[in-house]
Amino acid sequence: MQTGRTTLSKFLIEELAAGHSDLGSLLIDVAAAVKSISVILAKGALDGALGSLDAQNVQGEVQKKLDVICNETFISQCEWGGQVSGMVSEELEDVYAIPDGNPRGKYILLFDPLDGSSNVDFNVSVGTIFSILAKEDNEPAVTDDFLKPGITQVAAGYALYGPSTMLVLTIGHGTHGFTLDREGGNFVLTHPSILIPEETSEYSINTSNSRFWEPPIARYIAECKAGTSGVRDHDFNMRWIASMVAEVHRIILRGGIFMYPRDTKDPSKPGRLRLMYEANPMAMLIEQAGGWASTGRQRMLEVNPTSIHQRIPVVLGSRREVERVEKYHAEYDAGTDTIFDSPLFGERSLYLEN
Ligand code: AHG
Ligand code: MN
Ligand code: MN
Protein backbone atom coordinates (compact mmCIF):
# COMPACT_ATOMS: atom_id res chain seq x y z
CA MET A 1 0.00 0.00 0.00
CA GLN A 2 1.25 3.46 -0.87
CA THR A 3 0.98 5.92 1.98
CA GLY A 4 1.49 9.67 2.19
CA ARG A 5 -0.46 10.31 -0.95
CA THR A 6 -3.07 13.05 -1.02
CA THR A 7 -6.45 11.52 -1.67
CA LEU A 8 -9.44 13.58 -2.80
CA SER A 9 -10.95 13.39 0.71
CA LYS A 10 -7.74 14.64 2.34
CA PHE A 11 -7.43 17.40 -0.27
CA LEU A 12 -11.00 18.58 0.37
CA ILE A 13 -10.57 18.55 4.15
CA GLU A 14 -7.39 20.62 3.82
CA GLU A 15 -8.61 23.02 1.12
CA LEU A 16 -12.21 23.74 2.03
CA ALA A 17 -12.75 26.55 4.48
CA ALA A 18 -14.54 25.76 7.73
CA GLY A 19 -18.28 25.65 7.21
CA HIS A 20 -18.05 24.25 3.69
CA SER A 21 -18.06 20.57 4.54
CA ASP A 22 -21.33 20.16 2.59
CA LEU A 23 -19.49 21.11 -0.58
CA GLY A 24 -16.85 18.53 0.27
CA SER A 25 -19.53 15.87 0.78
CA LEU A 26 -21.11 16.75 -2.56
CA LEU A 27 -17.76 16.51 -4.34
CA ILE A 28 -17.18 13.11 -2.76
CA ASP A 29 -20.58 12.02 -4.14
CA VAL A 30 -19.61 13.39 -7.57
CA ALA A 31 -16.38 11.38 -7.35
CA ALA A 32 -18.42 8.27 -6.44
CA ALA A 33 -20.58 8.86 -9.53
CA VAL A 34 -17.44 9.16 -11.64
CA LYS A 35 -16.09 5.87 -10.27
CA SER A 36 -19.39 4.13 -11.09
CA ILE A 37 -19.46 5.60 -14.60
CA SER A 38 -15.84 4.57 -15.10
CA VAL A 39 -16.76 0.96 -14.23
CA ILE A 40 -19.77 1.02 -16.56
CA LEU A 41 -17.79 2.47 -19.48
CA ALA A 42 -14.93 0.01 -18.98
CA LYS A 43 -17.32 -2.87 -19.69
CA GLY A 44 -17.48 -1.70 -23.31
CA ALA A 45 -19.61 -4.06 -25.35
CA LEU A 46 -19.72 -6.72 -22.59
CA ASP A 47 -22.95 -5.45 -21.00
CA GLY A 48 -24.73 -4.61 -24.25
CA ALA A 49 -24.71 -0.92 -23.37
CA LEU A 50 -23.18 0.42 -26.58
CA GLY A 51 -25.28 1.87 -29.39
CA SER A 52 -28.04 4.41 -29.71
CA LEU A 53 -31.59 4.59 -28.42
CA ASP A 54 -34.57 5.38 -30.59
CA ALA A 55 -34.81 8.64 -28.68
CA GLN A 56 -33.49 12.18 -28.89
CA ASN A 57 -32.61 14.39 -25.98
CA VAL A 58 -34.08 17.84 -25.41
CA GLN A 59 -31.53 19.30 -27.83
CA GLY A 60 -32.67 17.08 -30.69
CA GLU A 61 -29.54 14.92 -30.52
CA VAL A 62 -29.56 11.14 -30.77
CA GLN A 63 -29.23 9.64 -27.30
CA LYS A 64 -26.78 6.84 -26.74
CA LYS A 65 -27.78 4.14 -24.27
CA LEU A 66 -24.80 5.22 -22.22
CA ASP A 67 -25.95 8.88 -22.20
CA VAL A 68 -29.02 7.72 -20.29
CA ILE A 69 -27.23 5.21 -18.07
CA CYS A 70 -24.57 7.74 -17.07
CA ASN A 71 -27.23 10.38 -16.43
CA GLU A 72 -29.17 8.07 -14.11
CA THR A 73 -25.96 7.03 -12.34
CA PHE A 74 -24.91 10.62 -11.76
CA ILE A 75 -28.31 11.62 -10.40
CA SER A 76 -28.67 8.63 -8.09
CA GLN A 77 -25.17 9.12 -6.62
CA CYS A 78 -25.70 12.85 -5.96
CA GLU A 79 -29.37 13.24 -4.98
CA TRP A 80 -29.50 11.29 -1.73
CA GLY A 81 -26.98 13.08 0.47
CA GLY A 82 -28.93 16.24 1.27
CA GLN A 83 -26.42 18.66 -0.27
CA VAL A 84 -28.36 19.69 -3.37
CA SER A 85 -31.82 21.12 -3.99
CA GLY A 86 -31.86 20.54 -7.73
CA MET A 87 -29.97 19.49 -10.83
CA VAL A 88 -29.75 20.32 -14.51
CA SER A 89 -28.46 17.75 -16.99
CA GLU A 90 -27.85 17.72 -20.71
CA GLU A 91 -30.11 14.67 -20.82
CA LEU A 92 -33.07 16.16 -18.91
CA GLU A 93 -35.48 18.63 -20.45
CA ASP A 94 -36.31 20.47 -17.23
CA VAL A 95 -34.79 21.18 -13.86
CA TYR A 96 -34.81 18.14 -11.58
CA ALA A 97 -35.87 19.48 -8.19
CA ILE A 98 -35.23 17.29 -5.17
CA PRO A 99 -38.79 16.51 -4.07
CA ASP A 100 -40.34 17.37 -0.72
CA GLY A 101 -39.68 14.68 1.84
CA ASN A 102 -36.10 14.17 0.62
CA PRO A 103 -33.13 15.83 2.28
CA ARG A 104 -32.07 18.97 0.43
CA GLY A 105 -29.14 21.35 0.62
CA LYS A 106 -28.06 24.76 -0.61
CA TYR A 107 -26.13 23.63 -3.70
CA ILE A 108 -27.32 23.01 -7.23
CA LEU A 109 -25.56 20.77 -9.67
CA LEU A 110 -25.31 21.03 -13.44
CA PHE A 111 -23.73 18.31 -15.54
CA ASP A 112 -23.08 16.70 -18.87
CA PRO A 113 -23.03 13.04 -17.82
CA LEU A 114 -21.29 11.74 -20.93
CA ASP A 115 -19.38 14.24 -23.02
CA GLY A 116 -18.17 13.12 -26.42
CA SER A 117 -20.70 10.32 -26.53
CA SER A 118 -20.39 10.09 -30.32
CA ASN A 119 -17.02 8.47 -29.50
CA VAL A 120 -18.25 5.97 -26.96
CA ASP A 121 -19.07 3.13 -29.35
CA PHE A 122 -15.49 3.28 -30.63
CA ASN A 123 -13.66 3.12 -27.31
CA VAL A 124 -12.32 6.67 -27.65
CA SER A 125 -11.93 8.85 -24.54
CA VAL A 126 -15.10 10.44 -23.18
CA GLY A 127 -15.85 12.48 -20.08
CA THR A 128 -18.26 13.94 -17.55
CA ILE A 129 -18.44 17.70 -16.90
CA PHE A 130 -20.01 19.31 -13.83
CA SER A 131 -20.62 22.71 -12.29
CA ILE A 132 -21.79 23.57 -8.77
CA LEU A 133 -23.63 26.76 -7.83
CA ALA A 134 -24.74 27.92 -4.40
CA LYS A 135 -28.29 28.86 -3.50
CA GLU A 136 -29.51 30.85 -0.53
CA ASP A 137 -32.01 28.31 0.72
CA ASN A 138 -32.72 24.63 0.36
CA GLU A 139 -36.16 24.96 -1.21
CA PRO A 140 -36.63 22.80 -4.35
CA ALA A 141 -34.60 24.47 -7.11
CA VAL A 142 -36.31 26.30 -9.96
CA THR A 143 -34.94 27.44 -13.33
CA ASP A 144 -34.01 30.94 -12.15
CA ASP A 145 -31.69 29.47 -9.50
CA PHE A 146 -29.52 28.07 -12.31
CA LEU A 147 -29.44 31.13 -14.58
CA LYS A 148 -26.37 32.72 -12.98
CA PRO A 149 -23.14 33.70 -14.77
CA GLY A 150 -20.25 31.25 -14.54
CA ILE A 151 -18.31 33.59 -12.29
CA THR A 152 -20.65 32.51 -9.46
CA GLN A 153 -19.68 28.83 -9.70
CA VAL A 154 -18.32 27.55 -6.39
CA ALA A 155 -16.75 24.47 -7.95
CA ALA A 156 -16.38 22.87 -11.35
CA GLY A 157 -14.67 19.87 -12.82
CA TYR A 158 -14.53 17.07 -15.29
CA ALA A 159 -13.81 13.38 -15.32
CA LEU A 160 -11.82 11.94 -18.18
CA TYR A 161 -12.33 8.27 -18.95
CA GLY A 162 -9.20 7.41 -20.89
CA PRO A 163 -6.45 4.86 -20.35
CA SER A 164 -6.71 6.09 -16.76
CA THR A 165 -9.70 7.81 -15.16
CA MET A 166 -8.97 11.31 -13.92
CA LEU A 167 -10.93 13.89 -11.98
CA VAL A 168 -9.83 17.47 -12.57
CA LEU A 169 -11.48 20.03 -10.35
CA THR A 170 -11.41 23.53 -8.99
CA ILE A 171 -12.99 24.93 -5.84
CA GLY A 172 -11.76 28.40 -6.73
CA HIS A 173 -8.13 27.94 -5.65
CA GLY A 174 -6.34 26.54 -8.67
CA THR A 175 -7.03 23.56 -10.89
CA HIS A 176 -6.00 20.16 -9.57
CA GLY A 177 -5.90 16.73 -11.18
CA PHE A 178 -6.55 13.40 -9.44
CA THR A 179 -5.95 9.96 -10.93
CA LEU A 180 -8.14 7.03 -9.95
CA ASP A 181 -6.15 4.31 -8.21
CA ARG A 182 -8.42 1.39 -9.06
CA GLU A 183 -6.88 -1.00 -6.57
CA GLY A 184 -7.22 1.41 -3.66
CA GLY A 185 -10.46 2.96 -4.89
CA ASN A 186 -9.15 6.47 -4.27
CA PHE A 187 -8.65 9.52 -6.39
CA VAL A 188 -5.02 10.53 -5.74
CA LEU A 189 -3.70 14.04 -6.31
CA THR A 190 -1.26 13.57 -9.20
CA HIS A 191 -1.46 16.97 -10.91
CA PRO A 192 -1.57 19.73 -8.25
CA SER A 193 -1.93 23.40 -9.26
CA ILE A 194 -1.93 22.89 -13.01
CA LEU A 195 -0.74 25.87 -15.05
CA ILE A 196 -1.50 26.02 -18.78
CA PRO A 197 1.60 26.80 -20.84
CA GLU A 198 1.27 30.32 -22.26
CA GLU A 199 2.98 29.63 -25.55
CA THR A 200 1.35 27.13 -27.82
CA SER A 201 1.49 25.85 -31.37
CA GLU A 202 -1.54 23.59 -31.30
CA TYR A 203 -5.14 24.32 -32.22
CA SER A 204 -8.33 22.26 -32.02
CA ILE A 205 -11.31 22.97 -34.22
CA ASN A 206 -13.63 20.94 -36.41
CA THR A 207 -12.44 22.17 -39.80
CA SER A 208 -15.31 20.45 -41.62
CA ASN A 209 -17.31 23.52 -40.56
CA SER A 210 -14.83 26.00 -42.04
CA ARG A 211 -17.10 27.31 -44.76
CA PHE A 212 -19.60 28.31 -42.07
CA TRP A 213 -17.11 30.17 -39.83
CA GLU A 214 -17.15 33.87 -39.19
CA PRO A 215 -14.19 35.77 -40.68
CA PRO A 216 -12.27 36.23 -37.37
CA ILE A 217 -12.09 32.46 -36.87
CA ALA A 218 -11.26 31.85 -40.52
CA ARG A 219 -8.49 34.45 -40.24
CA TYR A 220 -7.00 32.89 -37.11
CA ILE A 221 -6.98 29.37 -38.56
CA ALA A 222 -5.63 30.54 -41.92
CA GLU A 223 -2.73 32.16 -40.07
CA CYS A 224 -2.06 28.97 -38.07
CA LYS A 225 -2.11 26.91 -41.24
CA ALA A 226 0.23 29.33 -43.02
CA GLY A 227 2.78 28.62 -40.26
CA THR A 228 6.30 29.82 -41.04
CA SER A 229 5.14 31.24 -44.35
CA GLY A 230 2.68 33.64 -42.68
CA VAL A 231 2.38 36.26 -39.99
CA ARG A 232 2.68 33.74 -37.13
CA ASP A 233 6.14 32.76 -38.30
CA HIS A 234 5.99 29.29 -36.78
CA ASP A 235 4.25 26.06 -37.67
CA PHE A 236 1.18 24.81 -35.83
CA ASN A 237 -0.13 21.35 -35.11
CA MET A 238 -3.81 20.38 -35.04
CA ARG A 239 -5.80 17.91 -32.89
CA TRP A 240 -9.53 17.11 -32.89
CA ILE A 241 -10.77 14.22 -30.74
CA ALA A 242 -14.43 15.37 -30.73
CA SER A 243 -14.51 14.91 -26.95
CA MET A 244 -14.28 18.32 -25.33
CA VAL A 245 -13.04 16.82 -22.08
CA ALA A 246 -10.11 15.09 -23.77
CA GLU A 247 -9.33 18.25 -25.71
CA VAL A 248 -9.39 20.47 -22.61
CA HIS A 249 -7.32 17.97 -20.67
CA ARG A 250 -4.61 18.01 -23.31
CA ILE A 251 -4.70 21.80 -23.40
CA ILE A 252 -4.36 22.30 -19.66
CA LEU A 253 -1.34 20.00 -19.62
CA ARG A 254 0.55 21.04 -22.74
CA GLY A 255 -1.14 24.21 -23.96
CA GLY A 256 -3.25 24.92 -26.99
CA ILE A 257 -6.48 26.53 -28.06
CA PHE A 258 -9.88 24.89 -28.43
CA MET A 259 -12.64 26.45 -30.46
CA TYR A 260 -16.22 25.55 -31.21
CA PRO A 261 -17.21 28.94 -32.56
CA ARG A 262 -20.49 30.37 -33.69
CA ASP A 263 -21.09 29.40 -37.32
CA THR A 264 -23.79 29.72 -39.93
CA LYS A 265 -24.36 25.99 -40.41
CA ASP A 266 -27.59 26.13 -38.40
CA PRO A 267 -28.49 29.81 -37.86
CA SER A 268 -30.89 28.84 -35.06
CA LYS A 269 -27.93 27.68 -32.94
CA PRO A 270 -25.44 30.25 -31.66
CA GLY A 271 -22.80 27.57 -31.16
CA ARG A 272 -22.57 23.81 -30.61
CA LEU A 273 -21.66 23.58 -26.94
CA ARG A 274 -23.84 24.31 -23.95
CA LEU A 275 -23.07 27.23 -21.68
CA MET A 276 -24.21 25.92 -18.31
CA TYR A 277 -22.68 22.45 -18.16
CA GLU A 278 -19.94 22.49 -20.80
CA ALA A 279 -18.56 26.00 -21.39
CA ASN A 280 -18.86 27.47 -17.88
CA PRO A 281 -17.24 24.66 -15.89
CA MET A 282 -14.44 24.38 -18.45
CA ALA A 283 -13.99 28.17 -18.37
CA MET A 284 -13.58 28.14 -14.57
CA LEU A 285 -11.04 25.30 -14.75
CA ILE A 286 -9.14 27.03 -17.55
CA GLU A 287 -9.05 30.41 -15.77
CA GLN A 288 -7.98 28.77 -12.53
CA ALA A 289 -5.11 27.21 -14.49
CA GLY A 290 -4.01 30.59 -15.85
CA GLY A 291 -5.71 30.33 -19.23
CA TRP A 292 -8.61 32.26 -20.71
CA ALA A 293 -12.08 31.33 -21.95
CA SER A 294 -14.23 33.48 -24.17
CA THR A 295 -17.11 33.53 -26.59
CA GLY A 296 -14.76 35.43 -28.89
CA ARG A 297 -16.56 38.61 -27.89
CA GLN A 298 -16.98 38.27 -24.11
CA ARG A 299 -15.37 36.57 -21.15
CA MET A 300 -17.25 33.28 -20.86
CA LEU A 301 -17.69 33.50 -17.09
CA GLU A 302 -19.50 36.85 -17.41
CA VAL A 303 -22.18 35.68 -19.84
CA ASN A 304 -25.65 36.07 -18.32
CA PRO A 305 -27.51 32.85 -19.15
CA THR A 306 -31.02 33.00 -20.55
CA SER A 307 -31.93 29.31 -20.54
CA ILE A 308 -30.57 26.12 -18.99
CA HIS A 309 -29.70 24.46 -22.30
CA GLN A 310 -28.37 27.61 -23.99
CA ARG A 311 -25.66 27.12 -26.60
CA ILE A 312 -22.65 29.41 -26.84
CA PRO A 313 -19.55 29.91 -29.01
CA VAL A 314 -16.45 28.64 -27.17
CA VAL A 315 -12.81 29.74 -27.47
CA LEU A 316 -10.55 28.61 -24.62
CA GLY A 317 -7.02 27.63 -23.72
CA SER A 318 -3.64 29.33 -23.59
CA ARG A 319 -4.30 32.92 -22.70
CA ARG A 320 -2.39 34.73 -25.43
CA GLU A 321 -3.97 32.69 -28.20
CA VAL A 322 -7.51 33.22 -26.89
CA GLU A 323 -6.81 36.94 -26.57
CA ARG A 324 -5.63 36.98 -30.19
CA VAL A 325 -8.92 35.43 -31.28
CA GLU A 326 -10.82 38.01 -29.20
CA LYS A 327 -8.79 40.76 -30.88
CA TYR A 328 -9.69 39.42 -34.32
CA HIS A 329 -13.38 39.47 -33.39
CA ALA A 330 -13.07 43.04 -32.13
CA GLU A 331 -11.28 44.15 -35.31
CA TYR A 332 -13.86 42.42 -37.48
CA ASP A 333 -16.76 43.97 -35.57
CA ALA A 334 -15.12 47.40 -35.82
CA GLY A 335 -14.48 46.89 -39.54
CA THR A 336 -10.74 47.47 -39.11
CA ASP A 337 -9.54 44.03 -40.20
CA THR A 338 -9.69 44.43 -43.95
CA ILE A 339 -6.10 45.50 -44.57
CA PHE A 340 -3.10 43.47 -43.39
CA ASP A 341 0.62 43.73 -43.82
CA SER A 342 0.91 40.20 -45.11
CA PRO A 343 -0.20 39.77 -48.72
CA LEU A 344 -1.57 36.38 -47.71
CA PHE A 345 -4.14 38.05 -45.49
CA GLY A 346 -4.66 41.22 -47.52
CA GLU A 347 -8.23 40.43 -48.49
CA ARG A 348 -11.07 39.33 -46.31
CA SER A 349 -12.08 36.73 -48.89
CA LEU A 350 -8.78 34.94 -48.40
CA TYR A 351 -9.64 34.14 -44.78
CA LEU A 352 -12.43 32.01 -46.00
CA GLU A 353 -10.22 29.73 -48.07
CA ASN A 354 -9.57 26.75 -45.88
P1 AHG B 1 -21.92 15.66 -26.18
O1 AHG B 1 -21.43 14.30 -26.53
O2 AHG B 1 -22.11 15.86 -24.71
O3 AHG B 1 -23.14 16.07 -26.99
O4 AHG B 1 -20.78 16.72 -26.53
C1 AHG B 1 -20.02 16.56 -27.67
C2 AHG B 1 -19.35 17.85 -27.97
C3 AHG B 1 -17.93 17.97 -27.48
O5 AHG B 1 -17.49 17.02 -26.62
C4 AHG B 1 -17.11 17.97 -28.73
O6 AHG B 1 -16.13 18.94 -28.62
C5 AHG B 1 -18.06 18.29 -29.83
O7 AHG B 1 -19.34 18.01 -29.36
C6 AHG B 1 -17.79 17.51 -31.06
O8 AHG B 1 -18.55 18.04 -32.07
P2 AHG B 1 -18.41 17.51 -33.59
O9 AHG B 1 -19.12 16.20 -33.62
O10 AHG B 1 -19.10 18.59 -34.38
O11 AHG B 1 -16.95 17.40 -33.92
MN1 MN C 1 -20.82 17.40 -24.08
MN1 MN D 1 -23.21 14.66 -23.26
Side-chain angles (χ1 to χ4, degrees):
M1 190 172 92
Q2 297 192 47
T3 53
R5 304 190 302 180
T6 300
T7 61
L8 178 63
S9 309
K10 183 170 180 228
F11 172 88
L12 291 171
I13 289 166
E14 286 175 353
E15 293 290 321
L16 281 171
H20 289 80
S21 61
D22 271 11
L23 179 58
S25 302
L26 176 54
L27 286 166
I28 293 295
D29 283 349
V30 167
V34 165
K35 286 183 209 172
S36 298
I37 291 172
S38 171
V39 168
I40 292 165
L41 294 176
K43 298 270 186 210
L46 295 175
D47 278 356
L50 301 185
S52 301
L53 293 169
D54 259 349
Q56 294 188 336
N57 66 11
V58 60
Q59 350 235 347
E61 295 163 343
V62 172
Q63 269 183 321
K64 298 280 181 186
K65 291 183 203 169
L66 282 166
D67 280 322
V68 174
I69 293 168
C70 295
N71 186 54
E72 286 167 358
T73 303
F74 204 91
I75 291 172
S76 66
Q77 295 273 15
C78 298
E79 71 174 344
W80 64 277
Q83 288 93 29
V84 297
S85 58
M87 303 187 206
V88 154
S89 163
E90 179 184 317
E91 305 303 333
L92 298 177
E93 184 159 0
D94 296 317
V95 168
Y96 172 68
I98 306 297
D100 280 332
N102 290 41
R104 284 190 301 257
K106 61 179 182 176
Y107 293 107
I108 51 180
L109 185 57
L110 305 91
F111 57 95
D112 174 357
L114 189 59
D115 173 69
S117 56
S118 70
N119 284 318
V120 79
D121 292 343
F122 315 113
N123 206 11
V124 172
S125 292
V126 289
T128 297
I129 311 171
F130 66 91
S131 162
I132 298 174
L133 299 171
K135 192 159 126 0
E136 278 174 13
D137 54 43
N138 61 357
E139 292 302 305
V142 296
T143 301
D144 275 353
D145 293 323
F146 292 86
L147 299 182
K148 303 281 164 31
I151 194 102
T152 64
Q153 292 170 108
V154 295
Y158 62 78
L160 173 61
Y161 311 102
S164 60
T165 291
M166 288 194 68
L167 182 64
V168 176
L169 76 88
T170 178
I171 49 175
H173 312 288
T175 293
H176 309 278
F178 300 80
T179 303
L180 181 59
D181 171 4
R182 289 185 192 274
E183 286 73 37
N186 286 315
F187 276 105
V188 178
L189 182 62
T190 48
H191 297 67
S193 303
I194 298 168
L195 285 178
I196 300 176
E198 278 196 19
E199 301 289 342
T200 176
S201 310
E202 203 159 67
Y203 64 90
S204 297
I205 193 165
N206 183 342
T207 55
S208 71
N209 295 324
S210 61
R211 72 183 188 281
F212 304 109
W213 291 340
E214 287 189 288
I217 298 293
R219 173 187 176 188
Y220 177 82
I221 296 299
E223 290 179 0
C224 291
K225 288 167 74 175
T228 51
S229 66
V231 292
R232 297 305 304 268
D233 206 22
H234 66 278
D235 289 332
F236 280 74
N237 190 26
M238 192 279 282
R239 285 283 184 278
W240 187 252
I241 302 169
S243 280
M244 186 195 201
V245 168
E247 234 88 60
V248 167
H249 191 65
R250 186 189 62 250
I251 285 171
I252 66 168
L253 293 182
R254 78 173 187 198
I257 182 167
F258 169 92
M259 287 174 281
Y260 217 119
R262 176 202 302 273
D263 63 39
T264 58
K265 194 172 182 179
D266 179 350
S268 70
K269 292 180 183 165
R272 161 88 164 85
L273 298 170
R274 279 57 56 117
L275 173 62
M276 306 298 294
Y277 41 79
E278 291 179 318
N280 269 343
M282 291 308 199
M284 183 177 182
L285 289 159
I286 290 277
E287 281 202 16
Q288 287 292 318
W292 196 241
S294 170
T295 66
R297 294 181 164 90
Q298 186 182 9
R299 181 187 179 195
M300 187 64 69
L301 293 179
E302 291 178 355
V303 172
N304 278 311
T306 53
S307 65
I308 54 175
H309 296 296
Q310 177 177 352
R311 294 178 191 260
I312 196 91
V314 174
V315 182
L316 56 78
S318 295
R319 189 174 183 115
R320 274 187 226 161
E321 291 302 309
V322 178
E323 286 173 346
R324 178 181 280 265
V325 175
E326 287 183 317
K327 178 169 163 280
Y328 289 3
H329 280 83
E331 288 176 359
Y332 174 70
D333 292 348
T336 58
D337 66 331
T338 49
I339 308 293
F340 288 96
D341 292 335
S342 163
L344 187 62
F345 303 106
E347 289 180 45
R348 183 176 291 216
S349 59
L350 273 179
Y351 309 153
L352 295 172
E353 285 178 11
N354 286 285

